[in-house]
Amino acid sequence: LTDEEKRIRRMAEEYDQLRSRFEEMTQFRDTEEYKQMPENKRVLYDRQCKAMDDYESALRERIRIDADAANLKVEINDPDDE
């Protein structure tokens, strides 16, 4: 693999890890434990989820752009496609 291909693959791995953590966090928001948290903690938790969602979106777009430029086929789980 070229250095560019390795970099794109690392971004794809990072995306998959981030997506998994984000899904866990959003599921936690449906739990009683989350509902019992003090409001200030829930606000911070929600901010973190929003930041992760924004980061995930930017990373996904970077992967697509770079993979297209390098003529690479990279599979990423896009929640917008579901």
Side-chain angles (χ1 to χ4, degrees):
L1 295 175
T2 67
D3 287 344
E4 181 71 2
E5 290 170 333
K6 290 176 186 174
R7 187 182 62 76
I8 293 167
R9 300 241 183 254
R10 280 194 309 271
M11 283 194 303
E13 289 171 10
E14 179 182 356
Y15 175 86
D16 288 340
Q17 293 169 1
L18 177 64
R19 183 78 200 143
S20 177
R21 287 192 301 271
F22 177 75
E23 288 174 2
E24 289 174 12
M25 289 185 76
T26 56
Q27 290 172 2
F28 177 71
R29 292 164 81 180
D30 292 331
T31 68
E32 198 58 38
E33 182 180 352
Y34 171 81
K35 294 171 186 166
Q36 296 299 320
M37 289 169 63
E39 182 179 2
N40 62 334
K41 287 181 108 177
R42 286 194 316 268
V43 167
L44 291 172
Y45 193 91
D46 293 345
R47 276 181 52 197
Q48 182 179 353
C49 283
K50 173 70 173 118
M52 288 176 75
D53 189 40
D54 289 344
Y55 179 39
E56 177 188 324
S57 178
L59 185 58
R60 182 176 57 242
E61 195 60 29
R62 286 182 58 213
I63 292 167
R64 284 184 177 152
I65 290 169
D66 290 353
D68 284 348
N71 292 319
L72 279 179
K73 175 81 171 133
V74 178
E75 294 291 326
I76 54 174
N77 298 319
D78 186 342
D80 296 335
D81 291 343
E82 295 174 357

